[in-house]
Amino acid sequence: MTSRQTYSQQNAANQSQETDLAIDAQNVTVTYEDGTEAVRGVSLRIEKGEFFGFLGPNGAGKTTTIKSLVTLLHPTEGSVRINGYDTATEPEKVRRSIGYMAQETSIDRELTPRENLQLACKLYGVPVDQREDRIEALLDLVDLQDVADTRSEKFSGGMKKRLDAASVLVHRPPVVFLDEPTTGLDPEARLRLWNYFERINEQGTTVFLTTQYLEEADQLCDRLSLLQDGQIIATGSPGTLKSEFGTDIFEITLENPVEERIERAVQAVRRIETLDEPTIRTTEDGFTVRSARAREAASDLFAALDGTGVSVSDFDVRSPTLDDVFLALTDGSSDTAGRADTGMASLSAQEVST
Amino acid sequence: MSSHSTDKGPVVDDTAQEASGNSVAADIRISFKRWLVKNLRNPYVIFTSLVQPIIFFVLFVEVFGAIAGSTLSAALGPDISYVTYLSPAIIIMSTLSSAATSGIGLVDDMEEGMFEKMLVSPMNRSAMFFGKVLSEVARIVVQTVIVLLLGYLLLVLKNGAAFDQYLRTGAAGIVGVVLVTVIFGGAFMAYSNIVALVSRDQEATIMFTNLLTFPLVFVSSAFLPLSVLPGWIRTVAVFNPITYGVDSVRAIMLGQDVMTVFEMTAFGGIWNTVVPAVVILVGFNVLLGSIAIRLLRRAASIKVQ
């Protein structure tokens, strides 16, 4: 975050350029020929040096939005400026300013990793005397130095993904678009990439990231937007979003959790006035209580349970995660319906973090 | 660290910078080299360019040569061996096979995501395709020379003839044959790319190019003089670019007018064959090339599709 300050100061010193925005999208709308409105009025103002997350369920329009930012798609309506250049009138200048890692791995399988990176260096005109060092450093980073001179056609999905990541970063673009860059990677590779993304971001690179791992967004992003049905439904820092849309969650496990006992306990909890409009869900061996005031009402909750004669075998209170925010905001959308239970969502978040 | 750097101004190391990009000529070179390497590494390319011509050449000479001799003498004169007669057909067939693979590389690039990767890079888009076309032209040139020499080797093995009996127009003839194959190949490269851009599918591209090109070879003057073939084939042959490719290569190799579909006397000697044939081939290039370019433009455009 300090890096962002330094970077904007630099720009201020550069006698305040016309814009300090790395990405300035105004009311971007993409309507396909068949009438599908993939993106409906998305506006983004992302400062130079920001690490920005773009989240949303599958089919929300994330990739279509990115494509209209990186000059692959011309929006039906609205305008986009990247690094100060208009994507409609100055696409060449935009292309010189960006790196784009597509969701589908894009490498030349008939070339070796080294040759893929050399090709990327050539495409972007990286000075010849710098190529060697950059390529070596990136091969090392993505852990492909052992196979640097092996044709990449037989690589595993993860290896190809790592090579792809390296090849969009080798020319060190000021603005990087990463469309689910770590999907399918093992945890170690993911962590290494995260560290690298953070490092280039600290050195001033603006990063625009979409991910399915909310944990990833939470860790890396300064700010993020949630996209649903082609529209942004919330924007803010992970912390802000969590405190604004997430609620504390009580997970209570009962001894001898038969239906009748759980029901009795839930009835008692419902009567607690200090729990301001709680959402209570029964689980297999107890129930969960979501409430903005779960922590303050904890003693009331136990007192109420005491009165019912149902004893608690285990309890847990946790702060909201981005998963909770995501679920709260995108509730009912097809993608999340299958895992509407928060327990599942937090479990999957834990899995990715190990 | 960070407080120091703020005092002295920001640490803008060489991390983020706009790419300089390249000149169009440099972009063409980059694309050309990339495709050259890819083609050399592709076993299918080596097969269609080298193994297939050898197989066809030897088989056709052995099988058809046994019966074609008298027909040939009647049509073109007594001193022409079937090997010499067949060489232009094999040369054109090999060019055809190579040119027909052009679209496969394009589809492959689209499926691999490399097409899109190039589109978001500063690379000049025309250069991107021109470099690829050049690499295919280079392949056709090398392959034509090899098949030409292969034919001579076969002739020597069978009859022990001298080179000027094989290629009667000499060194200039080699250049002429190469030029004709390049022009001929251009039309089929365009055709292959049209199929690729319409189908966006590798198997479909391979199937549709082979489906059309292989039978086309037989309904032309490639293997036997048109005069001995059925009337319907003679009719089809008039509209078949292969006829014009084979006829002009054959005219150059035999050093005489062999135009099989219509008579022309205005240019004299082999030119009576080569000039109209090349004009027609250029026509095919313009027609198919402009369709291919239009489709490519659309594929590479940033409009919503």
Side-chain angles (χ1 to χ4, degrees), chain A residues 107-113 116 144 147 150-161 163, chain B residues 41 43 112:
Chain A
I107 55 160
D108 193 327
R109 290 176 305 218
E110 274 159 336
L111 302 182
T112 68
N116 266 287
L144 290 173
V147 290
T150 312
R151 268 193 245 174
S152 40
E153 54 203 338
K154 294 206 175 80
F155 284 6
S156 71
M159 288 162 87
K160 287 179 183 163
K161 195 92 183 166
L163 174 56
Chain B
R41 287 183 186 174
E112 272 186 345

Side-chain angles (χ1 to χ4, degrees), chain B:
Chain B
M1 263 289 277
S2 66
S3 63
H4 270 291
S5 56
T6 342
D7 291 342
K8 284 194 227 157
V11 195
V12 192
D13 70 16
D14 60 351
T15 300
Q17 56 195 335
E18 273 178 42
S20 59
N22 304 297
S23 65
V24 174
D27 277 346
I28 292 174
R29 203 168 55 235
I30 292 165
S31 174
F32 173 74
K33 274 192 184 163
R34 168 170 177 250
W35 284 103
L36 213 57
V37 170
K38 280 167 75 74
N39 282 341
L40 285 172
R41 287 183 186 174
N42 189 340
Y44 181 69
V45 166
I46 304 299
F47 179 79
T48 49
S49 282
L50 293 176
V51 182
Q52 193 171 284
I54 294 175
I55 294 173
F56 278 136
F57 218 150
V58 174
L59 287 182
F60 280 127
V61 165
E62 290 302 311
V63 176
F64 294 141
I67 53 159
S70 55
T71 319
L72 267 185
S73 309
L76 290 164
D79 60 337
I80 291 168
S81 106
Y82 190 62
V83 175
T84 314
Y85 184 78
L86 191 66
S87 294
I90 302 294
I91 287 168
I92 288 297
M93 250 178 98
S94 315
T95 306
L96 188 58
S97 312
S98 296
T101 59
S102 173
I104 299 171
L106 181 66
V107 176
D108 204 33
D109 246 22
M110 286 176 166
E111 285 175 355
E112 272 186 345
M114 285 305 286
F115 186 74
E116 207 174 72
K117 202 169 203 163
M118 299 283 173
L119 291 184
V120 293
S121 83
M123 176 174 248
N124 179 290
R125 284 162 190 222
S126 305
M128 168 178 159
F129 301 116
F130 193 61
K132 180 170 184 291
V133 167
L134 274 188
S135 80
E136 282 149 13
V137 166
R139 176 181 166 191
I140 288 172
V141 169
V142 172
Q143 176 187 297
T144 299
V145 171
I146 291 175
V147 178
L148 209 50
L149 294 175
L150 180 73
Y152 180 58
L153 187 72
L154 269 177
L155 189 67
V156 170
L157 288 177
K158 284 190 91 70
N159 306 2
F163 191 76
D164 59 356
Q165 247 191 297
Y166 173 66
L167 212 171
R168 296 176 190 202
T169 47
I174 298 180
V175 176
V177 169
V178 167
L179 282 177
V180 169
T181 54
V182 167
I183 295 168
F184 173 82
F188 281 91
M189 272 150 62
Y191 168 73
S192 172
N193 281 293
I194 291 170
V195 177
L197 285 162
V198 170
S199 71
R200 305 269 173 124
D201 183 78
Q202 276 206 49
E203 276 93 36
T205 307
I206 294 170
M207 200 181 80
F208 276 101
T209 47
N210 285 346
L211 202 70
L212 184 89
T213 53
F214 196 63
L216 269 189
V217 180
F218 288 93
V219 290
S220 75
S221 55
F223 300 124
L224 287 169
L226 277 185
S227 53
V228 304
L229 293 172
W232 72 268
I233 290 186
R234 267 178 274 165
T235 312
V236 176
V238 176
F239 302 99
N240 186 350
I242 292 172
T243 304
Y244 302 98
V246 170
D247 281 357
S248 30
V249 173
R250 191 167 281 153
I252 294 169
M253 290 191 67
L254 300 181
Q256 66 184 72
D257 176 14
V258 297
M259 179 58 89
T260 48
V261 288
F262 47 76
E263 287 309 317
M264 181 82 65
T265 51
F267 305 103
I270 63 167
W271 301 109
N272 284 338
T273 301
V274 175
V275 172
V278 166
V279 166
I280 288 167
L281 288 177
V282 168
F284 273 108
N285 267 287
V286 171
L287 178 72
L288 296 171
S290 55
I291 296 173
I293 287 168
R294 181 164 303 180
L295 289 171
L296 260 177
R297 279 239 178 91
R298 198 193 295 170
S301 83
I302 60 171
K303 295 240 159 49
V304 173
Q305 287 167 35

